[in-house]
Amino acid sequence: FPLTPELFTLNIESCIPAGGQAHMSSLVGQMSDGLISCFLALKREPIIRYQKNSEMCQLLAQAVRINVVQKGRKLFGWSRRPVLLLMDRRNDPVTPLLMQWTYQAMVHHLFGLHNNRLNLAGCPGVKDEYKEVVLSQEQDDFFARNLYSNFGDLAINVKSALDDLQLQFHSNKNIQTIDDMKSFVENYPEFKKLSGKVTKHITVLDQASKLIDQRKLMDVSAVEQEIACKNDLNTAFRMLVDTLIPDPAVTEVDKVKAVMIYALRYEADPGNKITQLIEKLYAAGVRRDLIGLVPAITRYGGRAQRTGDLFNNTSWLDVLKSSVKRGLQGVKNIYTQHKPHLVEVLDRLSKGELRETEFPECQQDLSYNEKPSEVIIFIVGGATYEEALAIHDLNEQSATTGVRYLLGGSTIHNSKSFLEEIDRQRSRSSLFQ
């Protein structure tokens, strides 16, 4: 299913082969069929490179290759040959855990998007007409312009759209907050008829703002980013113990996610305090099944399951800690510093520096220092909207770099769906213990 011109999903909810080898073969077959359909639609014959330490990536590479050979030159006779880069979600388990602040990614994180449809039926105070809305570039010009806008800029842009519409009514209402926006639209029914899509986005923005405040997600995000992007074992521990875990306003899930990021970063550090953090979670009354996700994440995507360097020990600029207040009162504009591991992999690929020992080529007909002009990345186990943003940013530079990218995933994760995947892995593992 195409979500944007740069992102697609196969809508395969889970890539955990719960039924053993037969289920794995079925999953590989579904993904192979989906990718073949994609290449036929694009009129491309892929050059396949895959993550060597991933069994499923290797099986998928072989399945796609066999499919291409069987269908032959009648279907795959095109001269343009992009690189199909098969990656495993296990190689970067941090990105799906982080709070997101760009519009599309934030909405998916907070509420969940499915094939560009947003369900707000469970949110209090939402009118029937907005309980399910479509957020699609093709159908909504405002969304197309703002899907990569951060939270603060989004609020500014919604206000600007309202100001333009006020001019049509010769109105001069002083709109300063998200609540002001909502009240203005509700009090002017004739305006609501003309505003249409703007009203939809005010509704979404209002619900998002409420959740962000209730769950103290800006504070949570600052801690997540500090742990993910800065190599400081003691500071990370103190932020968790002194700030996040004791805070009753922070949800149990958000507390556990932050500890999971800590566990992933410091699992091999002899000075880590993962056990103490787990004890602190128990003392704070966090449910046992949630706490069990901390060791489960290292079994799923710990150092032994990864290739390359997930955590670069570069300094983190304290942008989040000095959050910029812009535009509307009550809206903070936060720029996250985390960059998905995918960015570093694609940088090496574009320079011809991606090693064969990490990502071998399936057909053995590509020179490993050859620089591609088109790359299609498929993440087995699910992509994220943060990675989609990274792909968008790279494509913005294509005139300079000469490389265009397309991202696909078996699914598109938010933190909720990713934690469910980790829980499936844990349940499957327990069957064999």
Side-chain angles (χ1 to χ4, degrees):
F1 186 88
L3 299 170
T4 74
E6 300 166 319
L7 176 68
F8 69 92
T9 175
L10 298 185
N11 285 325
I12 297 172
E13 184 177 305
S14 173
C15 281
I16 302 298
Q21 196 63 40
H23 189 205
M24 179 178 284
S25 298
S26 175
L27 287 171
V28 169
Q30 291 177 59
M31 288 186 282
S32 175
D33 290 344
L35 287 173
I36 290 297
S37 297
C38 174
F39 284 110
L40 290 173
L42 294 171
K43 297 184 178 180
R44 302 286 193 273
E45 179 180 350
I47 296 169
I48 307 165
R49 296 190 68 173
Y50 63 93
Q51 188 177 315
K52 188 175 182 179
N53 70 337
S54 166
E55 180 184 7
M56 194 165 283
C57 283
Q58 183 173 357
L59 291 173
L60 180 56
Q62 293 168 354
V64 172
R65 176 58 179 161
I66 290 170
N67 241 319
V68 170
V69 170
Q70 287 179 345
K71 289 180 173 27
R73 291 292 169 180
K74 289 183 179 180
L75 293 179
F76 289 97
W78 303 292
S79 59
R80 298 183 67 175
R81 303 192 65 194
V83 170
L84 170 61
L85 186 68
L86 300 176
M87 300 182 66
D88 197 312
R89 180 75 271 162
R90 297 168 190 266
N91 212 39
D92 177 6
V94 171
T95 297
L97 294 173
L98 298 172
M99 173 63 196
Q100 300 300 316
W101 292 102
T102 53
Y103 191 16
Q104 184 183 46
M106 177 183 71
V107 167
H108 188 47
H109 183 95
L110 296 176
F111 307 109
L113 277 171
H114 182 69
N115 292 345
N116 292 334
R117 289 187 173 273
L118 171 63
N119 190 332
L120 296 176
C123 300
V126 176
K127 296 185 177 180
D128 289 344
E129 60 195 294
Y130 297 117
K131 286 186 176 179
E132 184 178 75
V133 296
V134 176
L135 296 177
S136 168
Q137 283 178 280
E138 294 183 357
Q139 301 177 27
D140 188 330
D141 292 340
F142 182 88
F143 185 69
R145 294 193 303 271
N146 288 280
L147 79 163
Y148 298 123
S149 295
N150 61 65
F151 187 38
D153 287 340
L154 173 65
I156 294 169
N157 295 340
V158 171
K159 181 181 183 299
S160 177
L162 272 181
D163 290 342
D164 291 342
L165 287 164
Q166 277 201 86
L167 291 176
Q168 298 180 33
F169 283 86
H170 307 288
S171 171
N172 59 356
K173 291 289 183 181
N174 184 24
I175 299 175
Q176 291 297 320
T177 67
I178 294 171
D179 283 338
D180 290 342
M181 292 182 191
K182 187 179 177 184
S183 297
F184 178 78
V185 172
E186 289 175 349
N187 292 331
Y188 289 83
E190 71 280 8
F191 171 83
K192 184 177 177 181
K193 292 177 183 177
L194 287 178
S195 63
K197 293 172 183 175
V198 177
T199 307
K200 173 179 72 177
H201 294 290
I202 292 173
T203 301
V204 175
L205 189 62
D206 176 54
Q207 293 300 321
S209 183
K210 287 177 180 176
L211 273 183
I212 289 166
D213 289 343
Q214 289 169 5
R215 292 169 53 185
K216 300 183 75 169
L217 290 176
M218 296 182 73
D219 294 337
V220 170
S221 181
V223 174
E224 289 177 348
Q225 291 287 320
E226 183 78 7
I227 298 171
C229 303
K230 188 175 181 180
N231 189 29
D232 190 334
L233 179 69
N234 293 326
T235 298
F237 178 77
R238 293 261 54 100
M239 290 180 76
L240 289 167
V241 170
D242 298 339
T243 305
L244 204 69
I245 294 177
D247 194 333
V250 177
T251 67
E252 292 183 346
V253 170
D254 288 329
K255 292 174 183 179
V256 168
K257 284 195 301 167
V259 175
M260 291 168 77
I261 297 168
Y262 177 97
L264 287 166
R265 178 163 201 125
Y266 298 113
E267 63 172 317
D269 191 313
N272 79 63
K273 298 179 180 179
I274 298 172
T275 301
Q276 292 95 315
L277 288 172
I278 289 175
E279 291 171 355
K280 292 289 184 183
L281 290 172
Y282 277 117
V286 177
R287 299 199 323 262
R288 178 180 294 272
D289 61 316
L290 287 176
I291 296 174
L293 293 173
V294 177
I297 193 68
T298 54
R299 290 195 296 270
Y300 171 88
R303 177 171 287 194
Q305 281 71 45
R306 302 195 304 263
T307 183
D309 181 15
L310 179 58
F311 297 103
N312 296 314
N313 294 328
T314 54
S315 298
W316 178 58
L317 302 176
D318 294 330
V319 179
L320 275 176
K321 293 174 70 177
S322 57
S323 302
V324 180
K325 290 186 179 180
R326 296 183 54 194
L328 302 177
Q329 296 173 6
V331 176
K332 292 182 180 179
N333 184 4
I334 294 183
Y335 292 92
T336 56
Q337 294 305 295
H338 175 262
K339 299 296 180 187
H341 183 58
L342 172 66
V343 174
E344 187 263 333
V345 173
L346 293 180
D347 180 63
R348 287 192 287 144
L349 176 64
S350 68
K351 295 175 180 176
E353 298 173 357
L354 190 60
R355 292 181 296 180
E356 179 185 352
T357 53
E358 294 179 42
F359 287 87
E361 198 274 311
C362 195
Q363 295 108 300
Q364 298 296 321
D365 62 357
L366 174 72
S367 172
Y368 289 102
N369 60 5
E370 185 178 328
K371 299 178 182 179
S373 60
E374 290 182 328
V375 181
I376 297 174
I377 308 101
F378 184 79
I379 302 181
V380 175
T384 68
Y385 281 116
E386 184 182 352
E387 286 156 337
L389 171 61
I391 293 300
H392 173 75
D393 290 341
L394 288 172
N395 283 335
E396 290 284 285
Q397 306 166 31
S398 63
T400 302
T401 62
V403 186
R404 292 286 302 178
Y405 299 94
L406 174 65
L407 175 64
S410 51
T411 189
I412 305 297
H413 275 307
N414 58 12
S415 62
K416 181 178 181 292
S417 65
F418 185 61
L419 291 180
E420 290 170 350
E421 185 79 335
I422 302 305
D423 193 45
R424 291 187 194 97
Q425 172 73 31
R426 178 176 59 176
S427 299
R428 180 181 181 274
S429 298
S430 66
L431 295 175
F432 299 96
Q433 289 177 355

